[in-house]
Coordinates of all heavy atoms in Angstrom, one line a residue:
M145 N 10.1 -2.7 7.5 CA 8.8 -2.9 8.1 C 7.7 -2.1 7.4 O 6.6 -2.6 7.1 CB 8.8 -2.5 9.6 CG 9.6 -3.5 10.5 SD 9.8 -2.8 12.2 CE 8.1 -2.7 12.7
V146 N 8.0 -0.8 7.1 CA 7.0 0.1 6.5 C 6.8 -0.4 5.0 O 5.6 -0.2 4.5 CB 7.5 1.5 6.5 CG1 6.6 2.4 5.7 CG2 7.5 2.0 8.0
E147 N 7.8 -0.9 4.3 CA 7.6 -1.3 2.9 C 6.6 -2.4 2.8 O 5.9 -2.5 1.7 CB 9.0 -1.7 2.3 CG 9.9 -0.6 2.0 CD 11.2 -1.0 1.4 OE1 11.5 -2.2 1.4 OE2 12.0 -0.2 0.9
V148 N 6.5 -3.3 3.8 CA 5.6 -4.4 3.6 C 4.3 -4.2 4.5 O 3.5 -5.1 4.6 CB 6.3 -5.7 4.1 CG1 7.4 -6.1 3.2 CG2 6.7 -5.6 5.6
M149 N 4.1 -3.0 4.9 CA 2.9 -2.7 5.7 C 1.7 -2.7 4.9 O 1.7 -2.3 3.7 CB 3.1 -1.3 6.3 CG 2.0 -0.8 7.2 SD 2.4 0.8 8.1 CE 2.7 1.9 6.7
N150 N 0.6 -3.3 5.4 CA -0.7 -3.3 4.7 C -1.8 -2.8 5.6 O -1.5 -2.3 6.7 CB -1.0 -4.8 4.3 CG -1.0 -5.8 5.4 OD1 -1.5 -5.5 6.5 ND2 -0.4 -6.9 5.2
T151 N -3.0 -2.8 5.1 CA -4.1 -2.1 5.8 C -4.3 -2.7 7.2 O -4.5 -1.9 8.2 CB -5.4 -2.2 5.0 OG1 -5.2 -1.8 3.7 CG2 -6.5 -1.4 5.7
S152 N -4.1 -4.0 7.3 CA -4.4 -4.6 8.6 C -3.3 -4.4 9.6 O -3.4 -4.6 10.8 CB -4.7 -6.1 8.4 OG -3.5 -6.7 7.9
S153 N -2.1 -4.1 9.1 CA -0.9 -4.0 10.0 C -0.4 -2.5 10.3 O 0.6 -2.3 10.9 CB 0.3 -4.8 9.5 OG 0.7 -4.3 8.2
V154 N -1.2 -1.5 9.8 CA -0.8 -0.1 9.9 C -0.5 0.2 11.4 O 0.5 0.8 11.7 CB -1.8 0.8 9.3 CG1 -1.6 2.2 9.7 CG2 -1.9 0.7 7.8
E155 N -1.5 0.0 12.2 CA -1.3 0.4 13.6 C -0.1 -0.2 14.3 O 0.7 0.4 15.0 CB -2.6 0.1 14.4 CG -2.6 0.7 15.9 CD -3.9 0.6 16.5 OE1 -4.9 0.3 15.8 OE2 -4.0 1.0 17.7
R156 N 0.0 -1.6 14.1 CA 1.1 -2.3 14.8 C 2.5 -1.8 14.2 O 3.4 -1.5 15.0 CB 1.0 -3.8 14.5 CG 2.1 -4.6 15.1 CD 1.9 -6.1 14.7 NE 1.8 -6.3 13.3 CZ 2.8 -6.4 12.5 NH1 4.1 -6.2 12.9 NH2 2.6 -6.6 11.2
V157 N 2.6 -1.7 12.9 CA 3.9 -1.3 12.3 C 4.2 0.1 12.7 O 5.4 0.4 13.0 CB 3.8 -1.5 10.8 CG1 5.0 -0.8 10.1 CG2 3.7 -2.9 10.4
C158 N 3.2 1.0 12.7 CA 3.5 2.4 13.0 C 4.0 2.6 14.4 O 4.9 3.4 14.7 CB 2.3 3.3 12.7 SG 2.0 3.6 10.9
K159 N 3.3 1.9 15.3 CA 3.7 1.9 16.8 C 5.2 1.4 17.0 O 6.0 2.1 17.6 CB 2.8 1.1 17.6 CG 1.4 1.8 17.9 CD 0.6 1.0 18.8 CE -0.7 1.7 19.2 NZ -1.6 0.9 20.1
E160 N 5.5 0.3 16.4 CA 6.8 -0.3 16.5 C 7.8 0.6 15.9 O 8.9 0.8 16.4 CB 6.8 -1.7 15.9 CG 8.2 -2.4 15.9 CD 8.7 -2.7 17.3 OE1 7.9 -2.6 18.3 OE2 9.9 -3.0 17.4
S161 N 7.5 1.1 14.7 CA 8.5 2.0 14.0 C 8.7 3.3 14.7 O 9.8 3.8 14.8 CB 8.0 2.2 12.5 OG 7.8 1.0 11.8
Y162 N 7.6 3.8 15.3 CA 7.7 5.0 16.1 C 8.7 4.9 17.2 O 9.6 5.7 17.4 CB 6.3 5.4 16.6 CG 6.3 6.7 17.3 CD1 6.2 8.0 16.7 CD2 6.3 6.7 18.7 CE1 6.1 9.1 17.4 CE2 6.2 7.9 19.5 CZ 6.1 9.1 18.8 OH 6.1 10.3 19.5
R163 N 8.6 3.7 17.9 CA 9.5 3.5 19.1 C 10.9 3.3 18.6 O 11.8 3.9 19.2 CB 9.0 2.2 19.8 CG 9.8 1.8 21.0 CD 9.5 0.4 21.5 NE 9.8 -0.6 20.6 CZ 11.0 -1.1 20.4 NH1 12.0 -0.6 21.1 NH2 11.3 -2.0 19.5
R164 N 11.1 2.6 17.5 CA 12.5 2.4 17.0 C 13.1 3.7 16.6 O 14.3 3.9 16.8 CB 12.5 1.4 15.9 CG 12.2 -0.1 16.3 CD 12.2 -1.0 15.1 NE 12.1 -2.4 15.4 CZ 13.1 -3.2 15.8 NH1 14.3 -2.7 15.8 NH2 12.8 -4.5 16.2

Side-chain angles (χ1 to χ4, degrees):
M145 292 170 60
V146 171
E147 281 181 352
V148 298
M149 180 172 59
N150 54 43
T151 306
S152 61
S153 64
V154 167
E155 185 166 354
R156 175 183 58 81
V157 170
C158 286
K159 282 184 177 179
E160 175 66 14
S161 299
Y162 182 83
R163 182 189 65 79
R164 286 181 178 274

